[in-house]
Amino acid sequence: MSDTPHFPLSAVVGADDLKLALCLTAIDPKIGGVLIEGPRGMAKSTLARGLADLLASGQFVTLPLGATEERLVGTLDLDAALGEGRAQFSPGLLAKADGGVLYVDEVNLLPDHLVDLLLDVAASGTNLIERDGISHRHSARFVLIGTMNPEEGELRPQLLDRFGLNVALSGQTPPTERGQIIRRRLDFDSDPQGFCQQWAAEQEALRQRCQQARGLLAEIALDDRALERITERCFAAGVDGLRADLVWLRAARAHAAWRGARAIEEQDIDAVAEFALRHRRRDHPPSAAHQPQPSPAPSPAQSSPAEGQGQWGELPAQALATGARREVPGWPKKP
């Protein structure tokens, strides 16, 4: 880990929803990580780096877009396995991120097979490498943070659903907040050590709050009453699959622990609802207004064709819109 100080999360102006979502995943990594959407210049990477200070190891690992599968999962030395009878494992980025944060910038531009692989490992907490009948398994428990700019391409729906929480940042920041953001950034750039020391008390308080919430998490039951409310609202939102229900329940429990409560309450369910549903909610839920209406039955006078015209069961031709007439220019003939 680099000794270069990172901008403290407690000093970030605004982005309250994102800071809450990041803290919840630090409390319970089983939530499945956070996907951050927003335009360029919204400090997405700054917020993700600030999260590393709230975890036990503080490890922050970046997955570059050009990474190979071996660099991500690690490699096995088959020559050592055959000659010495042991599997020599070279750790990849997943092993280095164990206990910390794995950050993927522009995750929508990462190859799909790598995204699918790291999401599987993030969900299971274990990385398994197999090569020619030789396997190695190691712990890989980390908080997965992905960022993307929707203008540069969308993430496949199957992969989008695998992220636990989703937060969108607005590019329109009020002038007052913009001034505070710029001033704090200038202060940090001029004296990083001094700036971090100035915010050390707030950062330590945030770290202690996350640590206490992690200790309280196991005491909070995933009760049936909260699950019933969540499943009803997931059904009403028309989400596909059951991952939203599970993520929402875990996030609500983490929010209860964040408040220091001993049980999941309605306010916890409401606080994380948009995080769990935003990327899973159907844009156009089915409604009666969009259902095709049956044509009214024709009257006897209309259904009886005139004598000698057409045959039984024949329908009249339907008029088709052809659009505005386009004049073809008259080009002069060749001499």
mmCIF file with all atom_site columns, all heavy atoms in Angstrom, residues 123-142:
data_model
loop_
_atom_site.group_PDB
_atom_site.id
_atom_site.type_symbol
_atom_site.label_atom_id
_atom_site.label_alt_id
_atom_site.label_comp_id
_atom_site.label_asym_id
_atom_site.label_entity_id
_atom_site.label_seq_id
_atom_site.pdbx_PDB_ins_code
_atom_site.Cartn_x
_atom_site.Cartn_y
_atom_site.Cartn_z
_atom_site.occupancy
_atom_site.B_iso_or_equiv
_atom_site.pdbx_formal_charge
_atom_site.auth_seq_id
_atom_site.auth_comp_id
_atom_site.auth_asym_id
_atom_site.auth_atom_id
_atom_site.pdbx_PDB_model_num
ATOM 1   N N   . ALA A 1 123 ? -18.977 -12.300 -4.362  1.00 0.00 ? 123 ALA A N   1
ATOM 2   C CA  . ALA A 1 123 ? -20.148 -12.879 -3.706  1.00 0.00 ? 123 ALA A CA  1
ATOM 3   C C   . ALA A 1 123 ? -19.778 -14.041 -2.799  1.00 0.00 ? 123 ALA A C   1
ATOM 4   O O   . ALA A 1 123 ? -20.349 -14.212 -1.717  1.00 0.00 ? 123 ALA A O   1
ATOM 5   C CB  . ALA A 1 123 ? -21.162 -13.326 -4.751  1.00 0.00 ? 123 ALA A CB  1
ATOM 6   N N   . SER A 1 124 ? -18.810 -14.865 -3.227  1.00 0.00 ? 124 SER A N   1
ATOM 7   C CA  . SER A 1 124 ? -18.451 -16.057 -2.449  1.00 0.00 ? 124 SER A CA  1
ATOM 8   C C   . SER A 1 124 ? -17.374 -15.795 -1.406  1.00 0.00 ? 124 SER A C   1
ATOM 9   O O   . SER A 1 124 ? -17.278 -16.512 -0.403  1.00 0.00 ? 124 SER A O   1
ATOM 10  C CB  . SER A 1 124 ? -17.971 -17.164 -3.401  1.00 0.00 ? 124 SER A CB  1
ATOM 11  O OG  . SER A 1 124 ? -16.767 -16.786 -4.057  1.00 0.00 ? 124 SER A OG  1
ATOM 12  N N   . GLY A 1 125 ? -16.528 -14.793 -1.637  1.00 0.00 ? 125 GLY A N   1
ATOM 13  C CA  . GLY A 1 125 ? -15.431 -14.514 -0.723  1.00 0.00 ? 125 GLY A CA  1
ATOM 14  C C   . GLY A 1 125 ? -14.255 -15.455 -0.871  1.00 0.00 ? 125 GLY A C   1
ATOM 15  O O   . GLY A 1 125 ? -13.341 -15.442 -0.047  1.00 0.00 ? 125 GLY A O   1
ATOM 16  N N   . THR A 1 126 ? -14.253 -16.271 -1.930  1.00 0.00 ? 126 THR A N   1
ATOM 17  C CA  . THR A 1 126 ? -13.187 -17.252 -2.155  1.00 0.00 ? 126 THR A CA  1
ATOM 18  C C   . THR A 1 126 ? -12.794 -17.241 -3.625  1.00 0.00 ? 126 THR A C   1
ATOM 19  O O   . THR A 1 126 ? -13.659 -17.204 -4.505  1.00 0.00 ? 126 THR A O   1
ATOM 20  C CB  . THR A 1 126 ? -13.644 -18.661 -1.752  1.00 0.00 ? 126 THR A CB  1
ATOM 21  O OG1 . THR A 1 126 ? -14.044 -18.661 -0.383  1.00 0.00 ? 126 THR A OG1 1
ATOM 22  C CG2 . THR A 1 126 ? -12.521 -19.667 -1.941  1.00 0.00 ? 126 THR A CG2 1
ATOM 23  N N   . ASN A 1 127 ? -11.505 -17.299 -3.876  1.00 0.00 ? 127 ASN A N   1
ATOM 24  C CA  . ASN A 1 127 ? -10.997 -17.386 -5.238  1.00 0.00 ? 127 ASN A CA  1
ATOM 25  C C   . ASN A 1 127 ? -10.409 -18.773 -5.459  1.00 0.00 ? 127 ASN A C   1
ATOM 26  O O   . ASN A 1 127 ? -9.573  -19.233 -4.685  1.00 0.00 ? 127 ASN A O   1
ATOM 27  C CB  . ASN A 1 127 ? -9.924  -16.316 -5.484  1.00 0.00 ? 127 ASN A CB  1
ATOM 28  C CG  . ASN A 1 127 ? -9.394  -16.359 -6.905  1.00 0.00 ? 127 ASN A CG  1
ATOM 29  O OD1 . ASN A 1 127 ? -10.123 -16.674 -7.844  1.00 0.00 ? 127 ASN A OD1 1
ATOM 30  N ND2 . ASN A 1 127 ? -8.123  -16.031 -7.071  1.00 0.00 ? 127 ASN A ND2 1
ATOM 31  N N   . LEU A 1 128 ? -10.873 -19.458 -6.502  1.00 0.00 ? 128 LEU A N   1
ATOM 32  C CA  . LEU A 1 128 ? -10.411 -20.807 -6.825  1.00 0.00 ? 128 LEU A CA  1
ATOM 33  C C   . LEU A 1 128 ? -9.728  -20.773 -8.180  1.00 0.00 ? 128 LEU A C   1
ATOM 34  O O   . LEU A 1 128 ? -10.319 -20.349 -9.177  1.00 0.00 ? 128 LEU A O   1
ATOM 35  C CB  . LEU A 1 128 ? -11.589 -21.789 -6.853  1.00 0.00 ? 128 LEU A CB  1
ATOM 36  C CG  . LEU A 1 128 ? -11.273 -23.216 -7.300  1.00 0.00 ? 128 LEU A CG  1
ATOM 37  C CD1 . LEU A 1 128 ? -10.304 -23.880 -6.322  1.00 0.00 ? 128 LEU A CD1 1
ATOM 38  C CD2 . LEU A 1 128 ? -12.552 -24.035 -7.438  1.00 0.00 ? 128 LEU A CD2 1
ATOM 39  N N   . ILE A 1 129 ? -8.470  -21.220 -8.217  1.00 0.00 ? 129 ILE A N   1
ATOM 40  C CA  . ILE A 1 129 ? -7.701  -21.289 -9.459  1.00 0.00 ? 129 ILE A CA  1
ATOM 41  C C   . ILE A 1 129 ? -7.460  -22.750 -9.787  1.00 0.00 ? 129 ILE A C   1
ATOM 42  O O   . ILE A 1 129 ? -6.972  -23.512 -8.937  1.00 0.00 ? 129 ILE A O   1
ATOM 43  C CB  . ILE A 1 129 ? -6.341  -20.552 -9.343  1.00 0.00 ? 129 ILE A CB  1
ATOM 44  C CG1 . ILE A 1 129 ? -6.562  -19.125 -8.830  1.00 0.00 ? 129 ILE A CG1 1
ATOM 45  C CG2 . ILE A 1 129 ? -5.635  -20.521 -10.686 1.00 0.00 ? 129 ILE A CG2 1
ATOM 46  C CD1 . ILE A 1 129 ? -6.372  -18.969 -7.363  1.00 0.00 ? 129 ILE A CD1 1
ATOM 47  N N   . GLU A 1 130 ? -7.778  -23.155 -10.991 1.00 0.00 ? 130 GLU A N   1
ATOM 48  C CA  . GLU A 1 130 ? -7.595  -24.539 -11.434 1.00 0.00 ? 130 GLU A CA  1
ATOM 49  C C   . GLU A 1 130 ? -6.844  -24.549 -12.756 1.00 0.00 ? 130 GLU A C   1
ATOM 50  O O   . GLU A 1 130 ? -7.224  -23.849 -13.692 1.00 0.00 ? 130 GLU A O   1
ATOM 51  C CB  . GLU A 1 130 ? -8.946  -25.245 -11.591 1.00 0.00 ? 130 GLU A CB  1
ATOM 52  C CG  . GLU A 1 130 ? -9.694  -25.431 -10.283 1.00 0.00 ? 130 GLU A CG  1
ATOM 53  C CD  . GLU A 1 130 ? -11.025 -26.144 -10.467 1.00 0.00 ? 130 GLU A CD  1
ATOM 54  O OE1 . GLU A 1 130 ? -11.779 -25.759 -11.383 1.00 0.00 ? 130 GLU A OE1 1
ATOM 55  O OE2 . GLU A 1 130 ? -11.292 -27.099 -9.717  1.00 0.00 ? 130 GLU A OE2 1
ATOM 56  N N   . ARG A 1 131 ? -5.784  -25.362 -12.809 1.00 0.00 ? 131 ARG A N   1
ATOM 57  C CA  . ARG A 1 131 ? -4.989  -25.508 -14.016 1.00 0.00 ? 131 ARG A CA  1
ATOM 58  C C   . ARG A 1 131 ? -4.579  -26.969 -14.164 1.00 0.00 ? 131 ARG A C   1
ATOM 59  O O   . ARG A 1 131 ? -3.833  -27.497 -13.344 1.00 0.00 ? 131 ARG A O   1
ATOM 60  C CB  . ARG A 1 131 ? -3.717  -24.631 -13.972 1.00 0.00 ? 131 ARG A CB  1
ATOM 61  C CG  . ARG A 1 131 ? -3.973  -23.125 -13.962 1.00 0.00 ? 131 ARG A CG  1
ATOM 62  C CD  . ARG A 1 131 ? -4.502  -22.621 -15.279 1.00 0.00 ? 131 ARG A CD  1
ATOM 63  N NE  . ARG A 1 131 ? -4.606  -21.184 -15.307 1.00 0.00 ? 131 ARG A NE  1
ATOM 64  C CZ  . ARG A 1 131 ? -5.636  -20.483 -14.856 1.00 0.00 ? 131 ARG A CZ  1
ATOM 65  N NH1 . ARG A 1 131 ? -6.661  -21.126 -14.322 1.00 0.00 ? 131 ARG A NH1 1
ATOM 66  N NH2 . ARG A 1 131 ? -5.645  -19.169 -14.927 1.00 0.00 ? 131 ARG A NH2 1
ATOM 67  N N   . ASP A 1 132 ? -5.077  -27.620 -15.196 1.00 0.00 ? 132 ASP A N   1
ATOM 68  C CA  . ASP A 1 132 ? -4.664  -28.994 -15.520 1.00 0.00 ? 132 ASP A CA  1
ATOM 69  C C   . ASP A 1 132 ? -4.748  -29.929 -14.316 1.00 0.00 ? 132 ASP A C   1
ATOM 70  O O   . ASP A 1 132 ? -3.800  -30.655 -14.002 1.00 0.00 ? 132 ASP A O   1
ATOM 71  C CB  . ASP A 1 132 ? -3.239  -28.991 -16.083 1.00 0.00 ? 132 ASP A CB  1
ATOM 72  C CG  . ASP A 1 132 ? -3.144  -28.245 -17.399 1.00 0.00 ? 132 ASP A CG  1
ATOM 73  O OD1 . ASP A 1 132 ? -4.181  -28.114 -18.078 1.00 0.00 ? 132 ASP A OD1 1
ATOM 74  O OD2 . ASP A 1 132 ? -2.043  -27.787 -17.735 1.00 0.00 ? 132 ASP A OD2 1
ATOM 75  N N   . GLY A 1 133 ? -5.864  -29.897 -13.619 1.00 0.00 ? 133 GLY A N   1
ATOM 76  C CA  . GLY A 1 133 ? -6.083  -30.800 -12.498 1.00 0.00 ? 133 GLY A CA  1
ATOM 77  C C   . GLY A 1 133 ? -5.483  -30.347 -11.187 1.00 0.00 ? 133 GLY A C   1
ATOM 78  O O   . GLY A 1 133 ? -5.643  -31.018 -10.166 1.00 0.00 ? 133 GLY A O   1
ATOM 79  N N   . ILE A 1 134 ? -4.775  -29.227 -11.177 1.00 0.00 ? 134 ILE A N   1
ATOM 80  C CA  . ILE A 1 134 ? -4.189  -28.676 -9.956  1.00 0.00 ? 134 ILE A CA  1
ATOM 81  C C   . ILE A 1 134 ? -4.990  -27.438 -9.565  1.00 0.00 ? 134 ILE A C   1
ATOM 82  O O   . ILE A 1 134 ? -5.307  -26.608 -10.413 1.00 0.00 ? 134 ILE A O   1
ATOM 83  C CB  . ILE A 1 134 ? -2.703  -28.324 -10.164 1.00 0.00 ? 134 ILE A CB  1
ATOM 84  C CG1 . ILE A 1 134 ? -1.924  -29.565 -10.581 1.00 0.00 ? 134 ILE A CG1 1
ATOM 85  C CG2 . ILE A 1 134 ? -2.113  -27.722 -8.895  1.00 0.00 ? 134 ILE A CG2 1
ATOM 86  C CD1 . ILE A 1 134 ? -0.481  -29.274 -10.936 1.00 0.00 ? 134 ILE A CD1 1
ATOM 87  N N   . SER A 1 135 ? -5.319  -27.327 -8.297  1.00 0.00 ? 135 SER A N   1
ATOM 88  C CA  . SER A 1 135 ? -6.150  -26.220 -7.852  1.00 0.00 ? 135 SER A CA  1
ATOM 89  C C   . SER A 1 135 ? -5.563  -25.565 -6.609  1.00 0.00 ? 135 SER A C   1
ATOM 90  O O   . SER A 1 135 ? -4.791  -26.171 -5.862  1.00 0.00 ? 135 SER A O   1
ATOM 91  C CB  . SER A 1 135 ? -7.577  -26.699 -7.564  1.00 0.00 ? 135 SER A CB  1
ATOM 92  O OG  . SER A 1 135 ? -7.594  -27.622 -6.498  1.00 0.00 ? 135 SER A OG  1
ATOM 93  N N   . HIS A 1 136 ? -5.933  -24.320 -6.437  1.00 0.00 ? 136 HIS A N   1
ATOM 94  C CA  . HIS A 1 136 ? -5.527  -23.561 -5.250  1.00 0.00 ? 136 HIS A CA  1
ATOM 95  C C   . HIS A 1 136 ? -6.692  -22.649 -4.874  1.00 0.00 ? 136 HIS A C   1
ATOM 96  O O   . HIS A 1 136 ? -7.312  -22.030 -5.734  1.00 0.00 ? 136 HIS A O   1
ATOM 97  C CB  . HIS A 1 136 ? -4.267  -22.733 -5.511  1.00 0.00 ? 136 HIS A CB  1
ATOM 98  C CG  . HIS A 1 136 ? -3.856  -21.884 -4.348  1.00 0.00 ? 136 HIS A CG  1
ATOM 99  N ND1 . HIS A 1 136 ? -3.178  -22.401 -3.266  1.00 0.00 ? 136 HIS A ND1 1
ATOM 100 C CD2 . HIS A 1 136 ? -4.043  -20.557 -4.091  1.00 0.00 ? 136 HIS A CD2 1
ATOM 101 C CE1 . HIS A 1 136 ? -2.949  -21.427 -2.392  1.00 0.00 ? 136 HIS A CE1 1
ATOM 102 N NE2 . HIS A 1 136 ? -3.465  -20.300 -2.872  1.00 0.00 ? 136 HIS A NE2 1
ATOM 103 N N   . ARG A 1 137 ? -6.963  -22.569 -3.577  1.00 0.00 ? 137 ARG A N   1
ATOM 104 C CA  . ARG A 1 137 ? -8.072  -21.757 -3.086  1.00 0.00 ? 137 ARG A CA  1
ATOM 105 C C   . ARG A 1 137 ? -7.550  -20.804 -2.013  1.00 0.00 ? 137 ARG A C   1
ATOM 106 O O   . ARG A 1 137 ? -6.747  -21.182 -1.168  1.00 0.00 ? 137 ARG A O   1
ATOM 107 C CB  . ARG A 1 137 ? -9.159  -22.665 -2.495  1.00 0.00 ? 137 ARG A CB  1
ATOM 108 C CG  . ARG A 1 137 ? -10.442 -21.936 -2.080  1.00 0.00 ? 137 ARG A CG  1
ATOM 109 C CD  . ARG A 1 137 ? -11.347 -22.898 -1.309  1.00 0.00 ? 137 ARG A CD  1
ATOM 110 N NE  . ARG A 1 137 ? -11.630 -24.082 -2.088  1.00 0.00 ? 137 ARG A NE  1
ATOM 111 C CZ  . ARG A 1 137 ? -12.693 -24.219 -2.880  1.00 0.00 ? 137 ARG A CZ  1
ATOM 112 N NH1 . ARG A 1 137 ? -13.559 -23.219 -2.972  1.00 0.00 ? 137 ARG A NH1 1
ATOM 113 N NH2 . ARG A 1 137 ? -12.882 -25.338 -3.556  1.00 0.00 ? 137 ARG A NH2 1
ATOM 114 N N   . HIS A 1 138 ? -8.030  -19.561 -2.053  1.00 0.00 ? 138 HIS A N   1
ATOM 115 C CA  . HIS A 1 138 ? -7.634  -18.604 -1.026  1.00 0.00 ? 138 HIS A CA  1
ATOM 116 C C   . HIS A 1 138 ? -8.778  -17.635 -0.767  1.00 0.00 ? 138 HIS A C   1
ATOM 117 O O   . HIS A 1 138 ? -9.682  -17.463 -1.594  1.00 0.00 ? 138 HIS A O   1
ATOM 118 C CB  . HIS A 1 138 ? -6.362  -17.840 -1.437  1.00 0.00 ? 138 HIS A CB  1
ATOM 119 C CG  . HIS A 1 138 ? -6.562  -16.893 -2.581  1.00 0.00 ? 138 HIS A CG  1
ATOM 120 N ND1 . HIS A 1 138 ? -7.074  -15.626 -2.435  1.00 0.00 ? 138 HIS A ND1 1
ATOM 121 C CD2 . HIS A 1 138 ? -6.321  -17.040 -3.908  1.00 0.00 ? 138 HIS A CD2 1
ATOM 122 C CE1 . HIS A 1 138 ? -7.126  -15.030 -3.616  1.00 0.00 ? 138 HIS A CE1 1
ATOM 123 N NE2 . HIS A 1 138 ? -6.684  -15.874 -4.523  1.00 0.00 ? 138 HIS A NE2 1
ATOM 124 N N   . SER A 1 139 ? -8.727  -16.995 0.384   1.00 0.00 ? 139 SER A N   1
ATOM 125 C CA  . SER A 1 139 ? -9.753  -16.037 0.770   1.00 0.00 ? 139 SER A CA  1
ATOM 126 C C   . SER A 1 139 ? -9.633  -14.768 -0.078  1.00 0.00 ? 139 SER A C   1
ATOM 127 O O   . SER A 1 139 ? -8.527  -14.281 -0.344  1.00 0.00 ? 139 SER A O   1
ATOM 128 C CB  . SER A 1 139 ? -9.617  -15.692 2.256   1.00 0.00 ? 139 SER A CB  1
ATOM 129 O OG  . SER A 1 139 ? -10.517 -14.667 2.613   1.00 0.00 ? 139 SER A OG  1
ATOM 130 N N   . ALA A 1 140 ? -10.776 -14.245 -0.482  1.00 0.00 ? 140 ALA A N   1
ATOM 131 C CA  . ALA A 1 140 ? -10.795 -13.006 -1.261  1.00 0.00 ? 140 ALA A CA  1
ATOM 132 C C   . ALA A 1 140 ? -12.041 -12.219 -0.862  1.00 0.00 ? 140 ALA A C   1
ATOM 133 O O   . ALA A 1 140 ? -13.009 -12.116 -1.616  1.00 0.00 ? 140 ALA A O   1
ATOM 134 C CB  . ALA A 1 140 ? -10.785 -13.296 -2.763  1.00 0.00 ? 140 ALA A CB  1
ATOM 135 N N   . ARG A 1 141 ? -12.004 -11.700 0.353   1.00 0.00 ? 141 ARG A N   1
ATOM 136 C CA  . ARG A 1 141 ? -13.131 -10.914 0.858   1.00 0.00 ? 141 ARG A CA  1
ATOM 137 C C   . ARG A 1 141 ? -12.778 -9.434  0.747   1.00 0.00 ? 141 ARG A C   1
ATOM 138 O O   . ARG A 1 141 ? -11.879 -8.955  1.433   1.00 0.00 ? 141 ARG A O   1
ATOM 139 C CB  . ARG A 1 141 ? -13.443 -11.296 2.305   1.00 0.00 ? 141 ARG A CB  1
ATOM 140 C CG  . ARG A 1 141 ? -13.820 -12.766 2.457   1.00 0.00 ? 141 ARG A CG  1
ATOM 141 C CD  . ARG A 1 141 ? -14.270 -13.088 3.873   1.00 0.00 ? 141 ARG A CD  1
ATOM 142 N NE  . ARG A 1 141 ? -14.625 -14.497 4.001   1.00 0.00 ? 141 ARG A NE  1
ATOM 143 C CZ  . ARG A 1 141 ? -15.794 -15.007 3.657   1.00 0.00 ? 141 ARG A CZ  1
ATOM 144 N NH1 . ARG A 1 141 ? -16.731 -14.204 3.162   1.00 0.00 ? 141 ARG A NH1 1
ATOM 145 N NH2 . ARG A 1 141 ? -16.048 -16.295 3.788   1.00 0.00 ? 141 ARG A NH2 1
ATOM 146 N N   . PHE A 1 142 ? -13.484 -8.758  -0.102  1.00 0.00 ? 142 PHE A N   1
ATOM 147 C CA  . PHE A 1 142 ? -13.194 -7.346  -0.351  1.00 0.00 ? 142 PHE A CA  1
ATOM 148 C C   . PHE A 1 142 ? -14.492 -6.617  -0.671  1.00 0.00 ? 142 PHE A C   1
ATOM 149 O O   . PHE A 1 142 ? -15.518 -7.227  -0.973  1.00 0.00 ? 142 PHE A O   1
ATOM 150 C CB  . PHE A 1 142 ? -12.204 -7.190  -1.508  1.00 0.00 ? 142 PHE A CB  1
ATOM 151 C CG  . PHE A 1 142 ? -12.599 -7.942  -2.752  1.00 0.00 ? 142 PHE A CG  1
ATOM 152 C CD1 . PHE A 1 142 ? -13.514 -7.406  -3.663  1.00 0.00 ? 142 PHE A CD1 1
ATOM 153 C CD2 . PHE A 1 142 ? -12.077 -9.199  -3.010  1.00 0.00 ? 142 PHE A CD2 1
ATOM 154 C CE1 . PHE A 1 142 ? -13.886 -8.106  -4.792  1.00 0.00 ? 142 PHE A CE1 1
ATOM 155 C CE2 . PHE A 1 142 ? -12.444 -9.910  -4.141  1.00 0.00 ? 142 PHE A CE2 1
ATOM 156 C CZ  . PHE A 1 142 ? -13.352 -9.357  -5.037  1.00 0.00 ? 142 PHE A CZ  1
#
